[in-house]
Coordinates of all heavy atoms in Angstrom, one line a residue:
Chain A
T931 N -44.3 -19.2 155.1 CA -43.9 -18.9 156.6 C -44.3 -20.0 157.4 O -43.5 -20.5 158.2 CB -44.6 -17.6 157.1 OG1 -44.3 -16.5 156.2 CG2 -44.1 -17.3 158.5
G932 N -45.5 -20.6 157.2 CA -45.9 -21.8 158.0 C -44.9 -22.9 157.8 O -44.4 -23.5 158.8
L933 N -44.5 -23.1 156.6 CA -43.5 -24.2 156.3 C -42.2 -24.0 156.9 O -41.5 -24.8 157.6 CB -43.4 -24.3 154.8 CG -43.1 -25.7 154.2 CD1 -44.2 -26.7 154.6 CD2 -42.9 -25.6 152.7
A934 N -41.7 -22.7 156.9 CA -40.4 -22.3 157.5 C -40.5 -22.5 159.0 O -39.6 -23.1 159.6 CB -40.1 -20.9 157.2
V935 N -41.7 -22.2 159.6 CA -41.9 -22.4 161.0 C -41.8 -23.8 161.4 O -41.1 -24.3 162.3 CB -43.2 -21.8 161.5 CG1 -43.5 -22.1 163.0 CG2 -43.2 -20.3 161.4
A936 N -42.4 -24.7 160.5 CA -42.4 -26.2 160.8 C -41.0 -26.7 160.7 O -40.6 -27.4 161.6 CB -43.3 -26.8 159.7
F937 N -40.2 -26.3 159.7 CA -38.8 -26.7 159.6 C -38.0 -26.3 160.8 O -37.2 -27.1 161.3 CB -38.2 -26.2 158.3 CG -38.7 -26.9 157.1 CD1 -38.4 -26.4 155.8 CD2 -39.5 -28.0 157.2 CE1 -38.9 -27.0 154.6 CE2 -39.9 -28.7 156.0 CZ -39.7 -28.1 154.8
E938 N -38.1 -25.0 161.2 CA -37.3 -24.7 162.3 C -37.9 -25.4 163.6 O -37.1 -25.6 164.5 CB -37.4 -23.1 162.6 CG -36.9 -22.3 161.4 CD -35.5 -22.7 160.9 OE1 -34.7 -23.1 161.7 OE2 -35.2 -22.7 159.7
G939 N -39.1 -25.8 163.6 CA -39.7 -26.6 164.8 C -38.9 -27.9 164.8 O -38.6 -28.4 165.9
F940 N -38.7 -28.5 163.6 CA -37.9 -29.8 163.6 C -36.5 -29.6 164.2 O -36.0 -30.4 165.0 CB -37.7 -30.3 162.2 CG -39.0 -31.0 161.7 CD1 -39.6 -30.5 160.6 CD2 -39.4 -32.2 162.3 CE1 -40.8 -31.1 160.1 CE2 -40.6 -32.8 161.8 CZ -41.3 -32.3 160.7
V941 N -35.9 -28.5 163.8 CA -34.5 -28.2 164.3 C -34.5 -28.0 165.9 O -33.7 -28.6 166.6 CB -34.0 -26.9 163.6 CG1 -32.6 -26.6 164.2 CG2 -33.9 -27.1 162.2
L942 N -35.5 -27.4 166.4 CA -35.6 -27.1 167.8 C -36.2 -28.3 168.6 O -36.3 -28.3 169.8 CB -36.3 -25.8 168.1 CG -35.7 -24.5 167.6 CD1 -36.7 -23.4 167.8 CD2 -34.4 -24.2 168.3
G943 N -36.8 -29.3 167.8 CA -37.5 -30.3 168.5 C -38.7 -29.8 169.2 O -39.1 -30.3 170.3
N944 N -39.4 -28.9 168.6 CA -40.6 -28.3 169.2 C -41.9 -28.8 168.4 O -42.1 -28.3 167.4 CB -40.4 -26.8 169.1 CG -41.5 -26.0 169.9 OD1 -42.7 -26.5 169.8 ND2 -41.2 -25.0 170.6
A945 N -42.6 -29.7 169.1 CA -43.8 -30.3 168.3 C -44.9 -29.2 168.0 O -45.5 -29.3 167.0 CB -44.4 -31.3 169.2
A946 N -45.1 -28.2 168.9 CA -46.1 -27.2 168.6 C -45.8 -26.5 167.4 O -46.7 -26.2 166.5 CB -46.2 -26.2 169.8
M947 N -44.5 -26.1 167.2 CA -44.1 -25.4 166.0 C -44.3 -26.2 164.8 O -44.7 -25.8 163.7 CB -42.7 -24.9 166.1 CG -42.5 -23.7 166.9 SD -40.7 -23.3 167.2 CE -40.3 -22.7 165.5
I948 N -43.9 -27.5 164.9 CA -44.0 -28.4 163.6 C -45.5 -28.5 163.3 O -45.8 -28.3 162.1 CB -43.5 -29.9 164.0 CG1 -42.0 -29.7 164.4 CG2 -43.7 -30.8 162.8 CD1 -41.5 -31.1 164.8
I949 N -46.4 -28.8 164.2 CA -47.8 -29.0 163.9 C -48.4 -27.7 163.4 O -49.1 -27.7 162.3 CB -48.5 -29.6 165.1 CG1 -48.0 -31.0 165.4 CG2 -50.0 -29.7 164.8 CD1 -48.5 -31.6 166.7

Side-chain angles (χ1 to χ4, degrees):
Chain A
T931 303
L933 213 56
V935 170
F937 285 168
E938 299 311 325
F940 281 118
V941 176
L942 296 172
N944 187 319
M947 279 172 74
I948 301 176
I949 295 173

